[in-house]
Amino acid sequence: MSNTRIERDSMGELHVPEQALYGAQTQRAVDNFPISHQRMPAQFIRALILAKAAAAKANVELKQLSESQGKAIVDAAQGLLEGDYMQHFPVDIFQTGSGTSSNMNANEVIATLASRLLGEPVNPNDHVNCGQSSNDIIPTAIHVSAALGLHEQLLPALVHLVQVIERKAAEVHPFIKTGRTHLMDAMPVRMSQVLEGWAQQLKANIGHLQDLLPSLQSLAQGGTAVGTGINAHPQFAAGFSRQLSNLTQVQFTPGKNLFALIGSQDTAVVASGQLKAIAVTLMKIANDLRWMNSGPLAGLGEIELEGLQPGSSIMPGKVNPVIPEATAMVAAQVIGNDTTITVAGQSGNFELNVMLPIIAQNLLSSIELLANSSRLLADKAIASFKVNEPKLKQALSRNPILVTALNPIIGYQKAAEIAKTAYKQGRPVIDVALEHTDLSRSQLEILLDPEKLTAGGV
């Protein structure tokens, strides 16, 4: 075969692309798993490379590697992260369930680069993988990549979304709209109260994510093959977490029980469940925006979302709520990702979970999708929508449910009769109430004032 070289591993020889930094085990995985043609997520590979650098630093401290070997490994890892490192990681997501293929991919690439830097051989297994097993480094990389994704992507995006919603709430506070329950007319609410409800949902989700971080930042590293720590220095776990914390500026700690962190992926399952809850919140917000924007003539037409692109290939002038629609699709995908992670989390058979790659893929996909869609929802939908005040007032003046405010004075039954008459005749409820009660117009104007009826939720 042209443009290849011969590489060897414990199973024999095979051809590897001549310029590839990886070796035989990576090539076997490429040959064995032509399934999805999707690589492991870049965030996961980044975390794996960082973990290799942290391991090398810890092993030098513990005299398990020479200073020159450790420095070459660290420099190789840092060089990878500064470039287009994903070109060197071709292994499919659907691979061996422990992620061994991805671990050896990293070991081989870093060993090749470190050998060039050092001028002598650096071994993928004996040096780059020193004190490690795929069974602890892959669960560690899942936790590290998810924790970094929350710190760097999702939490800042959610905070931004909350800030935009709260600014918009202050802007639209003067506007009062018809509330709706069961999609039917209900008591009036301020537009700001609607948005403040969204903000509070998101704040609760942010709090739940922050509560999860200590568990995600607790690592399996040091457990090696089954949790006993075989072939790792007794102080390796502590040294590794300290070095990784220095590299990432995020505080990582050794897990309290390494058997649990290798044999299960319960923390990932819990994290995914919280991501699903955020997806549900975003779906609610997106659908509220779509309903309020519906029309402009035959729908509610309470707000006008920013027009971003033509909405139809056949109907000229049509503009659709594209950002809320995209957000709703993200929510659906995240909910699906959670189902996959739930099933995968059940595959902790004895001392190892064997669906680690798909857990990593779906968890990191959910984090990225939610982060990106949250920013778009904030900046291209919520920040820029306009309120259609005439439409709000028109609907509010004819809302028969306003008669609810008269219940304490005239009773539920009488109020129901007034509401039905107002609806049937298409008249303002105040006019019908004037005919069917002893209350004066001035009294009714006070009792049925929509602004006063929203005060209970302020």
Side-chain angles (χ1 to χ4, degrees), residues 25-333:
Q25 291 203 42
T26 301
Q27 186 61 50
R28 291 191 192 280
V30 170
D31 295 341
N32 287 336
F33 307 116
I35 298 174
S36 71
H37 306 292
Q38 298 178 66
R39 303 181 181 198
M40 292 295 289
Q43 307 97 308
F44 173 84
I45 298 299
R46 172 195 175 205
L48 186 55
I49 295 170
L50 286 168
K52 295 298 177 181
K57 286 175 173 283
N59 279 318
V60 168
E61 279 189 346
L62 298 169
K63 302 189 183 306
Q64 305 300 297
L65 290 175
S66 70
E67 288 192 11
S68 59
Q69 288 171 330
K71 184 177 186 304
I73 291 170
V74 171
D75 289 348
Q78 291 176 339
L80 275 174
L81 293 175
E82 291 169 2
D84 180 18
Y85 57 86
M86 284 303 295
Q87 65 181 302
H88 307 298
F89 292 86
V91 179
D92 202 279
I93 294 166
F94 297 94
Q95 54 172 286
T96 176
S98 62
T100 298
S101 298
S102 286
N103 182 36
M104 285 309 303
N105 188 176
N107 290 334
E108 290 176 342
V109 169
I110 292 172
T112 298
L113 293 174
S115 298
R116 293 176 182 176
L117 290 169
L118 188 60
E120 61 184 63
V122 174
N123 188 273
N125 296 84
D126 297 334
H127 301 139
V128 183
N129 201 57
C130 179
Q132 307 150 57
S133 161
S134 300
N135 298 356
D136 61 1
I137 196 78
I138 298 300
T140 291
I142 291 173
H143 276 220
V144 172
S145 56
L148 293 177
L150 295 186
H151 280 290
E152 298 171 356
Q153 295 176 280
L154 184 52
L155 283 168
L158 292 175
V159 168
H160 175 68
L161 178 55
V162 168
Q163 291 171 342
V164 170
I165 290 173
E166 289 182 333
R167 285 198 298 270
K168 193 68 174 184
E171 177 187 322
V172 301
H173 180 74
F175 301 108
I176 299 171
K177 66 186 290 291
T178 299
R180 291 180 182 83
T181 58
H182 305 270
L183 293 180
M184 305 298 286
D185 297 343
M187 294 299 291
V189 294
R190 285 191 178 275
M191 188 74 79
S192 59
Q193 291 169 327
V194 174
L195 272 67
E196 286 159 2
W198 300 344
Q200 185 53 48
Q201 286 181 269
L202 291 164
K203 286 178 182 178
N205 283 316
I206 289 170
H208 296 321
L209 281 182
Q210 291 171 332
D211 290 341
L212 273 172
L213 286 173
S215 295
L216 278 174
Q217 291 164 210
S218 176
L219 305 179
Q221 204 59 54
T224 65
V226 294
T228 60
I230 184 72
N231 289 349
H233 190 285
Q235 297 174 25
F236 177 69
F240 173 88
S241 291
R242 184 176 66 256
Q243 294 292 349
L244 186 64
S245 300
N246 291 337
L247 287 171
T248 61
Q249 300 304 302
V250 172
Q251 187 61 46
F252 292 100
T253 59
K256 292 180 180 179
N257 188 297
L258 303 183
F259 293 96
L261 290 173
I262 294 175
S264 78
Q265 279 295 305
D266 291 352
T267 299
V269 172
V270 173
S272 178
Q274 182 51 49
L275 297 176
K276 178 178 70 173
I278 295 168
V280 169
T281 295
L282 292 184
M283 180 78 85
K284 186 263 195 297
I285 295 171
N287 282 333
D288 282 357
L289 287 166
R290 291 174 60 237
W291 277 105
M292 288 192 290
N293 180 76
S294 62
L297 299 179
L300 298 181
E302 295 178 341
I303 65 171
E304 181 184 344
L305 291 169
E306 179 184 356
L308 297 173
Q309 63 187 63
S312 174
S313 61
I314 191 172
M315 293 176 281
K318 194 171 188 293
V319 179
N320 298 328
V322 292
I323 298 299
E325 287 176 352
T327 301
M329 285 191 285
V330 163
Q333 181 64 61

Side-chain angles (χ1 to χ4, degrees), residues 345-407:
Q346 298 172 29
S347 293
N349 307 129
F350 298 112
E351 279 66 59
L352 181 67
N353 182 287
V354 290
M355 288 197 183
L356 298 177
I358 200 64
I359 289 173
Q361 158 66 17
N362 283 272
L363 193 63
L364 296 175
S365 172
S366 291
I367 289 171
E368 183 173 23
L369 288 172
L370 290 171
N372 291 342
S373 61
S374 291
R375 289 191 179 276
L376 286 174
L377 191 67
D379 297 337
K380 293 194 172 184
I382 293 171
S384 56
F385 77 71
K386 298 175 182 178
V387 177
N388 186 349
E389 187 176 13
K391 196 69 175 280
L392 295 184
K393 288 183 174 179
Q394 179 187 30
L396 200 56
S397 68
R398 299 169 66 87
N399 182 3
I401 305 302
L402 294 177
V403 79
T404 302
L406 302 182
N407 283 359

